[in-house]
Structures are given as C-alpha cells and as structure tokens.
Amino acid sequence: MASLLPRRAAACRHRRRLLLLPSPPPGPAAAARRCSGALPAALLRRGGLVGGRWVETAASFPVQDPASGEELGRVADCGPAEAREAVRAAHQAGAAWGCLPAKERSLRLRRWYELMLENKEELARIITAENGKPLKEAQGEILYSASFLEWFAEEARRVYGDVIPASAKDRRILVLKQPVGVAAVITPWNFPSAMITRKVGAALAAGCTVVVKPAEDTPLSALALGELANQAGIPAGVYNVVPCSRQQTPAVGEVLCTDPLVAKISFTGSTATGKILLKHAAGTVKRVSMELGGHAPFIVFDSANVDRAVAGALASKYRNSGQTCVCTNRFLVQKGIHDEFVEKFAKAIERELHVGSGFDAKTTQGPLINEKAVEKVERHISDAVSQGASVVTGGKRHSLGKNFFEPTLLSNVTTKMLCTQEETFGPLAPVIKFDTEAEAVAIANAANVGLAGYFYSQDPAQIWRVAEQLEVGMVGVNEGIISSVESPFGGVKQSGLGREGSKYGIDEYLEIKYVCFGGL
C-alpha cells in the first residue's frame, strides 16, 4: 500500500503525524487520552479508495475528537467527480466479482473478517477517537462488525435458486438469483464500522460491488476497513470509499442516487434524509434499503420484574450515550410500579454510569458527537420542564466539556412534550405513567416511525398480545439489547424499507430471474 501513497518520504511522514492524536489540553479527559497514545498509523488513510487506489483531492476536511474538539487529521474531500469515478470502478469490477464462484467470494470475506479480529484493538481505538464512545463499547462494535463479514461469508454459499413444476409437460420453470449490480452504501457516524459491514458483507456475498459514503464525522473507520479489504484480497474496485465533508455530502449523495450505473441504494440515517435519497433514486427506479429514524417505546407493566426492567432500561437507553437508532426514547410505566421503577432507575443511573473520555477505563458515557446534539437534548429537557416534568437526576451539561451531558431522567412526562414526539438521540430518559395495557399500546403506536420497541411483563397472554400489536419491526420482550447478526434488522412505517443482517439480508442485493426452458 505504501506505493499508492505520495512518493515523497517527507510528505508521507508529515501525513502520518497529522493522523496522530494531538497533544491534549489539561484536564481529566485529556489525561486519559494522553494514556491512550497515538492512533495506529498502519490503518490510517487520508485518501479516498477508488478502484484499489488511494486517491488524494485538492481539498481536505478535518476529523475531530468529539471529546476535546481537537483535530485528529484531515481526509480527502471527495466530490461528484470522485463519486462518479468510484461508481465506474465498481461497475468495471462487477462482472468479474459476480462471476467468481461463491466459495471464492466466501473465502475473501472470511479473510477480511480474520483481519478485523487481528486488528480489533487498533480498529476500536479509531472508533473511540473519532466517535467518542467508550473503548469497551468500541471493542464490542468491532466484534459485532466483524461478525457480519463472517456471517455473510457463510451465506454467500447459500444463495439458492428454485425449480417450479410447470403446467406444460414440455417446459421447465427455473428461478435464478443474481447480484443486482453496483450498490451505493451511505452510513452514519454512530456505528462507523458495523453499519458498513452489515451492508457491504451482504452485498459482496451476493456478488455486488460497492461505493461507500461514510459519515463526515467518522470516515477513518471506513478507510481502515478499506485497507484491510485490500490486504484480504478483495479485488480492486469491489470496495470503494468516497469520504467527503458536510458541504460536499448533498452533491455526492445525489450522484450516488442518480447515476444510472448504480443499481442499489442502502442508507442508514434520518428519516428526513432518507426521503430525499428516495426522491433521487426514483428517477432511475433503483432498489433501495432504508434504515431510518426510530422513536422506541419501552413499556413496563405491573407484572414485570422491576429489577430486570431497570437493568434493561439502563442498557437500552444509555448505550453509546443514547445515540443509537434503537435506543429507548419513551418509557411508559404502569401506575402500580411507576414510583418503584423511577426510584430504582435513578439510583442505577447515578451508581453505574460514569461520564468521561472514551479512553478512560471507567467511562460508560462518552461525549455526544457534536454540540448540535447536545443542544437538542437541552431543548427537549427545557420544553419538558416548562410543561411540568421533573428532573430526577442529571439535566445539564457535564463539566468535562461542551459535548458532554449528564445522563438524565425525567418524571411527570406527558405525550404533549417534545421529548415524546421526536427522537432525542442523547442520554435523556423521559418516563410516562399509564393506567391500562390498551393505553400504553396506543401511546407506543402513535408515532409515524416504528423501528424497535421493548416491554417487560411476566404475563404470557399479555406478552403475545403486545408483541403482535406493537407497530415496530423489532420487539424486545424482557430484553433491552436485541441486535444480533442472526436477526433481521429493520423497521416499519417511516422507519424504513428492507432488512439487514440474518438470512434475509442478502436478498436485498439479489434479483430474481425467471427462466422458462421450453421445447423439451
């Protein structure tokens, strides 16, 4: 790979220095980061990856540490021209990759998975640096991310066609499954590695090639995966990456969604952005998968084991500081156990959650991704309190820095408050008291999105009723963490289209072709 970087040694050394963690300012978070050392230069790339080459651009944009706001390095700011070049490279590589025996594709994906495990500590450090999540969570994400490459390496050999009995004796009806073609993959910052492999693993297993547009906040993880893909023997042009700044994102996104050589769009992000991409994709009638916004309810019925419900609530709400699409956004607690739940939940928050730098071993809550995210949490709290909600614990920015916020619990919340009407995407837990099962289900289903939902109950009949009635794509029953590689991930309503992961995930990248064999 060194030969693909600029040839002048001085320039290369300078580039490497740019991609090391800068000297931190004084303070506890900085002290933890000083202990963390430099980021792994062997996996850091600053150029786009197009047709197997690391591509520099005239302009670059900064990648910042959300804990300190300091610059980690600068990355090539790809624009429409680079996006089109990446699409052409993917298209040119597609025929050969799609024609490879499934076993060959499987072996390449398997090797990529093995390299991720060999480099799991380095990959996790990159995530913590650019995303801010605690290092332990980042390590968990890398294992989760790698598992999709392992899973789809195995699924590549299980793409089965069909033979259908014909009504005419001189005919045979065959069904083939073939790759759709070039897939444009647009991913978010909250899981900068796993959201790529969940899509790309399925696409490559099916025989598709991809162009990845990572989030502007977290491009380093996507580029590190590109370096490992090259090492794993993924052919040039099969995995391409076009990082770009926030300013270039609309133009690059439009190219990826309108270029006639792109056959498939897979996007994870906000519902508003998903609708824009759908409009772009409609012009050429592309296949689309959309994993969009959530507004997950977490219902605790009187029959629930309260201690288990509190443990599940803590995990579901505060993982990644509340910045996941399946995080609980609304807690609905039945009146018979409401006070006990709120009291125990508050004590658990104060006892078990620790705000700090992601590189500090004690940290469970890192910074939010940027100040805009913090401001949204503040706005939701202010609105709720102005309408009568009570702050049980937390409620303000943390002293560590502008992107840190205290884990917060609100009681006396109503459905008229902003925090129950839109996704917060932060460490805020609003609790609504309800009377009946029907009331809880009605509140839960009132949203126009439906990604995940959770509830705790020990009544078997109630469990069946509520699981079937909740208008979401995924339900956690007495469980606060539901994602796994074996499970189909996706939502209903305005939470998106299609499913990722599981045996169903590869179908999003396959076309069904009917062949009528006559004259027999």
Side-chain angles (χ1 to χ4, degrees):
M1 286 299 108
S3 63
L4 298 176
L5 297 172
R7 296 180 180 177
R8 294 182 62 85
C12 183
R13 286 194 297 272
H14 178 63
R15 181 172 298 110
R16 290 284 179 90
R17 285 198 297 272
L18 282 175
L19 290 169
L20 299 180
L21 279 171
S23 298
R33 286 173 54 246
R34 274 198 295 273
C35 296
S36 73
L39 292 178
L43 292 179
L44 288 171
R45 294 293 177 266
R46 73 183 298 266
L49 180 57
V50 178
R53 298 178 297 109
W54 294 105
V55 177
E56 301 290 342
T57 57
S60 63
F61 68 98
V63 181
Q64 296 178 322
D65 173 4
S68 68
E70 294 197 15
E71 188 174 301
L72 298 171
R74 300 187 71 86
V75 171
D77 194 5
C78 295
E82 289 79 17
R84 292 189 187 97
E85 184 182 353
V87 169
R88 287 194 297 272
H91 184 259
Q92 290 167 4
W97 179 252
C99 289
L100 270 184
K103 183 178 180 180
E104 278 296 314
R105 295 198 299 271
S106 175
L107 291 173
R108 307 285 178 94
L109 285 169
R110 178 76 191 187
R111 182 55 186 150
W112 197 4
Y113 155 75
E114 292 169 349
L115 286 171
M116 284 194 70
L117 294 189
E118 291 173 16
N119 292 273
K120 62 178 184 283
E121 296 302 324
E122 292 82 358
L123 292 168
R125 295 173 75 80
I126 291 173
I127 289 179
T128 294
E130 65 179 348
N131 168 278
K133 68 175 61 176
L135 187 58
K136 185 176 180 181
E137 284 194 22
Q139 291 165 340
E141 178 179 344
I142 292 303
L143 295 178
Y144 181 55
S145 177
S147 73
F148 285 105
L149 297 182
E150 178 188 35
W151 174 268
F152 285 113
E154 296 165 351
E155 289 298 292
R157 303 184 67 180
R158 303 189 185 112
V159 177
Y160 302 125
D162 208 350
V163 178
I164 300 173
S167 56
K169 66 180 181 179
D170 62 343
R171 294 182 181 181
R172 298 295 182 269
I173 296 175
L174 309 178
V175 176
L176 309 180
K177 290 186 178 180
Q178 297 178 316
V180 298
V182 177
V185 171
I186 304 174
T187 57
W189 51 262
N190 58 340
F191 288 91
S193 181
M195 294 302 95
I196 291 174
T197 57
R198 192 164 71 185
K199 300 171 186 293
V200 170
L204 269 57
C208 298
T209 55
V210 299
V211 178
V212 176
K213 206 296 285 182
E216 59 271 14
D217 294 299
T218 55
L220 299 179
S221 292
L223 296 171
L225 287 175
E227 171 60 26
L228 294 181
N230 286 346
Q231 293 180 24
I234 302 296
V238 172
Y239 177 85
N240 304 275
V241 186
V242 285
C244 66
S245 64
R246 186 170 278 104
Q247 292 73 27
Q248 289 276 30
T249 290
V252 169
E254 183 172 353
V255 167
L256 295 179
C257 290
T258 59
D259 193 305
L261 294 181
V262 174
K264 164 78 179 182
I265 304 293
S266 181
F267 169 72
T268 295
S270 72
T271 298
T273 302
K275 290 177 179 180
I276 294 171
L277 300 182
L278 280 168
K279 289 180 180 178
H280 287 321
T284 46
V285 195
K286 300 187 189 304
R287 288 275 296 274
V288 294
S289 298
M290 296 276 160
E291 194 261 282
L292 307 176
H295 191 36
F298 188 110
I299 307 171
V300 186
F301 291 105
D302 281 343
S303 68
N305 180 311
V306 175
D307 291 333
R308 290 185 178 180
V310 167
L314 203 68
S316 177
K317 174 68 258 184
Y318 294 107
R319 182 170 61 115
N320 199 17
S321 298
Q323 300 174 112
T324 87
C325 53
V326 293
C327 272
T328 296
N329 211 63
R330 303 166 288 160
F331 287 90
L332 289 73
V333 184
Q334 201 158 13
K335 62 180 181 180
I337 58 167
H338 173 274
D339 293 351
E340 179 187 1
F341 176 86
V342 170
E343 181 182 356
K344 289 186 174 181
F345 196 14
K347 289 180 179 178
I349 291 169
E350 294 165 355
R351 180 180 65 249
E352 298 184 31
L353 301 184
H354 305 281
V355 179
S357 162
F359 287 110
D360 187 330
K362 297 183 296 183
T363 295
T364 63
Q365 305 288 286
L368 300 192
I369 191 65
N370 52 41
E371 194 169 11
K372 184 178 178 181
V374 174
E375 290 170 353
K376 186 175 185 180
V377 177
E378 288 179 323
R379 187 167 65 252
H380 281 191
I381 293 172
S382 176
D383 171 80
V385 170
S386 72
Q387 297 187 59
S390 302
V391 177
V392 181
T393 187
K396 61 184 185 299
R397 297 194 190 205
H398 197 279
S399 59
L400 281 174
K402 66 179 183 179
N403 290 344
F404 291 90
F405 203 91
E406 296 176 346
T408 300
L409 176 63
L410 299 180
S411 63
N412 300 317
V413 174
T414 71
T415 57
K416 295 181 179 180
M417 297 173 184
L418 199 58
C419 60
T420 68
Q421 297 175 358
E422 62 182 36
E423 190 175 27
T424 302
F425 231 66
L428 170 60
V431 180
I432 302 168
K433 184 190 293 187
F434 72 89
D435 291 325
T436 66
E437 176 187 311
E439 179 189 0
V441 171
I443 294 172
N445 289 342
N448 61 5
V449 292
L451 189 58
Y454 311 87
F455 69 93
Y456 277 68
S457 171
Q458 296 187 91
D459 180 341
Q462 183 177 63
I463 288 172
W464 278 112
R465 286 194 306 271
V466 176
E468 292 175 347
Q469 290 172 12
L470 284 179
E471 295 173 358
V472 295
M474 300 172 285
V475 179
V477 181
N478 297 324
E479 180 59 63
I481 300 292
I482 59 175
S483 299
S484 70
V485 67
E486 302 88 358
S487 308
F489 192 103
V492 299
K493 297 181 176 178
Q494 294 185 36
S495 282
L497 304 165
R499 293 295 182 270
E500 294 184 343
S502 80
K503 68 176 185 179
Y504 303 105
I506 199 169
D507 291 338
E508 301 291 336
Y509 299 89
L510 293 168
E511 295 280 16
I512 293 177
K513 178 182 285 184
Y514 154 51
V515 178
C516 180
F517 193 173
L520 300 177

